[in-house]
Amino acid sequence: MSFKALNLSPKLLKTIESLGYTKPSEIQQKSIPLLLNRKDIVATSQTGTGKTASFVFPLLENIEEENIKRTGDERYKIKALILAPTRELVIQIHKKIELYGENFTHKSVALYGGIKLGSQVSAIRAGANIAVGTTARVLDHIKNGSLNLVEVKMVVLDEADKMLEMGFIDEIREILSQLPKERQSVMFSATFPKSIRSLAKSFLINPITVEIDKSNLSSKQIKQKVNYVKEEEKIPLLSTIVRLNKWNRVLLFTNTKFQADKIVESLRNDKVKASAIHGDKSQSMREEALKKFKNGDISVLVATDVAGRGIDIIDLPYVINFELPIKSEDYIHRVGRTGRAGKVGEALSLVCKKELNRLKEIEELINKKLDVITTEGFNFEIDIESKKKDKKRGVNLKKAKELAEKMMGKDKFDSKNSTKNRKSTSKSPRNKRHF
């Protein structure tokens, strides 16, 4: 299927062609026709599948273009609202709207915290009819009187599960209460727990569910590998891999802000240029780190899952999971940062013993067994052997127990009597003196 078959306007097709897009992805093929017909949808959305274009293309087509300059309070009324969990994702979507809407008169504004309201208010006044924002900052503007949602024709909740996971449900409901009843509503979510289904039911009208094939949850363009390692050797292994292979432009994910800073310090001590982006970093610091990473001034950018959302670099060759994510679905979002736009990427996970169950869950989710690699000087053999020893020790204890029972003249061990005897023994004054 080509983009022309999706009934998009000539001016949008012209932009799509200039960007080198030739064939719509599965999520685009399924979502765009429905959204162009103004249907409400709830869709699975994974990073790297082209899901942003899935809702931006129809939004550009469906929202009426404005050619008359608004004045007074009319300046604060927008026609479309997109909510996203992080400032990075907000900025990414905003830039995509500007890119795809080159031949339209639509104007987008990005609303997120970390900077003063003033510059954003000016952008709204200048004629923005599309707002992309985090829930907290959107509410700031509503309370400030610099954003009015009474004329919104289309609302999109992107990465809805992540917003709920971050505790934004009350903010979402407050924002949705400000919207007109007659509107088009769209929800993209990686997973559909009970909370998501409840939210969808409350603000979508007869939604159509759009799902992509489970086997496509992780791109075939990404070579996914795992390197087993002892937990205490993860940082030395990471440094060795980066320096030995001369890897540059590596996006590394970890689960905590503390660990991110620790990794950066260790890499710098090994003469590897690295920086971190996470919630404790100011917006300017995060933007500066991302800029240096894109320019090649730093080799490794260390990010937490929240800060990592919205990082969009087409030619990103490597992603490393220093730790496997707590939620299996986040693995897909992480590795989806590479292998974009037809490029081949590599995703490596450093897995220690306590993460084996998590790895199994991830492999079941993506319906794929990850290739195992080894790095000279680092192996998982000690942990595997200790696991075998633990199992053997358990067998030996069982045999010793059976032998003791036999020597006591019992064919079977009466656990009930044993428990009773232990209880009575523990009450004896003699034992109290011993223990």
Side-chain angles (χ1 to χ4, degrees):
M1 178 186 286
S2 67
F3 280 102
K4 289 183 179 179
L6 298 178
N7 295 321
L8 297 170
S9 66
K11 57 185 175 183
L12 183 53
L13 287 173
K14 182 180 178 181
T15 300
I16 291 171
E17 185 179 356
S18 69
L19 293 172
Y21 299 173
T22 56
K23 183 181 178 182
S25 65
E26 183 182 356
I27 192 69
Q28 291 168 355
Q29 291 178 32
K30 292 182 176 180
S31 299
I32 291 175
L34 294 172
L35 294 178
L36 286 174
N37 286 322
R38 303 181 188 277
K39 301 291 185 182
D40 285 10
I41 72 167
V42 54
T44 55
S45 63
Q46 307 298 341
T47 297
T49 58
K51 55 102 173 175
T52 301
S54 297
F55 60 80
V56 170
F57 287 175
L59 184 149
L60 294 172
E61 299 279 32
N62 288 351
I63 301 301
E64 185 178 351
E65 293 187 71
E66 297 182 358
N67 299 307
I68 300 175
K69 188 175 181 180
R70 289 177 286 168
T71 59
D73 290 343
E74 295 296 314
R75 294 175 297 173
Y76 305 115
K77 294 179 180 178
I78 59 170
K79 303 296 182 182
L81 174 67
I82 302 169
L83 298 176
T86 68
R87 64 187 78 174
E88 282 77 18
L89 187 54
V90 165
I91 293 170
Q92 177 190 318
I93 296 170
H94 165 67
K95 289 181 177 179
K96 291 292 187 182
I97 292 173
E98 290 187 325
L99 180 66
Y100 300 149
E102 180 183 5
N103 295 317
F104 292 81
T105 60
H106 299 306
K107 290 184 180 180
S108 173
V109 59
L111 309 177
Y112 53 88
I115 59 176
K116 293 181 179 180
L117 289 176
S119 60
Q120 296 173 351
V121 173
S122 299
I124 296 171
R125 284 177 178 169
N129 63 339
I130 302 170
V132 189
T134 57
T135 54
R137 183 43 64 104
V138 167
L139 282 175
D140 287 341
H141 279 284
I142 291 173
K143 293 171 182 176
N144 185 57
S146 49
L147 191 68
N148 191 316
L149 308 182
V150 296
E151 294 184 1
V152 167
K153 303 296 182 185
M154 183 175 181
V155 59
V156 179
L157 267 62
D158 193 16
E159 298 196 3
D161 55 342
K162 179 56 64 174
M163 285 196 279
L164 265 60
E165 182 185 321
M166 295 169 70
F168 299 157
I169 182 63
D170 291 336
E171 294 175 351
I172 292 172
R173 292 193 185 282
E174 187 174 351
I175 292 169
L176 294 178
S177 69
Q178 303 283 326
L179 298 171
K181 290 184 178 180
E182 292 187 12
R183 64 174 189 268
Q184 183 179 16
S185 302
V186 183
M187 179 188 285
F188 280 81
S189 182
T191 57
F192 294 97
K194 186 177 179 180
S195 56
I196 287 291
R197 294 195 297 270
S198 176
L199 179 62
K201 187 177 180 180
S202 68
F203 94 102
L204 295 166
I205 300 175
N206 298 323
I208 298 172
T209 300
V210 177
E211 296 181 284
I212 59 175
D213 186 358
K214 185 179 178 181
S215 62
N216 293 334
L217 288 180
S218 57
S219 174
K220 294 177 182 178
Q221 299 293 119
I222 306 171
K223 298 177 181 177
Q224 300 174 65
K225 301 176 181 179
V226 59
N227 192 325
Y228 295 120
V229 61
K230 289 187 280 189
E231 186 175 10
E232 63 271 19
E233 293 184 347
K234 278 195 175 187
I235 290 180
L237 172 60
L238 169 65
S239 181
T240 299
I241 289 173
V242 173
R243 289 186 290 104
L244 197 63
N245 298 315
K246 297 181 180 179
W247 279 8
N248 199 11
R249 300 186 77 181
V250 178
L251 179 58
L252 184 142
F253 284 98
T254 189
N255 294 336
T256 67
K257 294 175 281 188
F258 173 78
Q259 186 68 273
D261 290 334
K262 183 180 177 182
I263 292 169
V264 168
E265 183 181 0
S266 298
L267 288 175
R268 287 176 177 174
N269 288 338
D270 283 347
K271 310 301 180 185
V272 177
K273 295 180 180 178
S275 289
I277 57 171
H278 52 66
D280 285 349
K281 302 285 186 180
S282 67
Q283 182 61 26
S284 59
M285 292 172 69
R286 288 158 78 162
E287 290 178 355
E288 181 66 19
L290 188 56
K291 181 181 178 182
K292 287 183 177 180
F293 184 59
K294 288 182 176 180
N295 293 339
D297 296 329
I298 60 175
S299 301
V300 181
L301 183 65
V302 185
T304 55
D305 284 303
V306 172
R309 295 293 178 102
I311 294 178
D312 186 23
I313 303 171
I314 292 178
D315 193 13
L316 177 66
Y318 310 108
V319 167
I320 294 179
N321 289 305
F322 184 82
E323 299 167 294
L324 291 179
I326 304 300
K327 289 188 65 178
S328 300
E329 292 79 7
D330 283 336
Y331 172 85
I332 299 167
H333 286 290
R334 288 181 178 187
V335 302
R337 300 298 161 192
T338 186
R340 301 170 81 92
K343 302 282 185 178
V344 174
E346 188 167 334
L348 175 64
S349 298
L350 310 183
V351 178
C352 63
K353 183 178 179 180
K354 69 180 184 181
E355 296 175 295
L356 292 177
N357 287 336
R358 221 179 294 171
L359 175 62
K360 184 179 178 181
E361 291 175 0
I362 289 170
E363 290 178 330
E364 288 177 353
L365 175 67
I366 65 176
N367 198 26
K368 181 178 182 179
K369 193 81 173 175
L370 301 188
D371 295 331
V372 178
I373 66 167
T374 57
T375 302
E376 189 176 350
F378 301 89
N379 61 69
F380 201 52
E381 293 301 317
I382 296 175
D383 287 328
I384 292 173
E385 288 302 319
S386 66
K387 190 174 180 181
K388 289 179 181 178
K389 288 177 182 177
D390 288 341
K391 187 176 180 181
K392 188 175 181 180
R393 190 180 297 116
V395 172
N396 290 337
L397 285 172
K398 185 178 179 181
K399 288 182 177 178
K401 184 178 178 182
E402 290 173 351
L403 179 61
E405 292 170 1
K406 190 174 181 180
M407 290 174 67
M408 293 169 65
K410 296 182 180 181
D411 293 329
K412 293 183 180 179
F413 188 66
D414 189 340
S415 60
K416 186 175 180 180
N417 290 336
S418 174
T419 304
K420 187 176 180 180
N421 290 336
R422 282 198 300 270
K423 286 182 179 179
S424 61
T425 304
S426 64
K427 292 178 183 179
S428 70
R430 182 181 178 183
N431 279 296
K432 283 185 179 178
R433 287 197 298 271
H434 282 292
F435 294 98

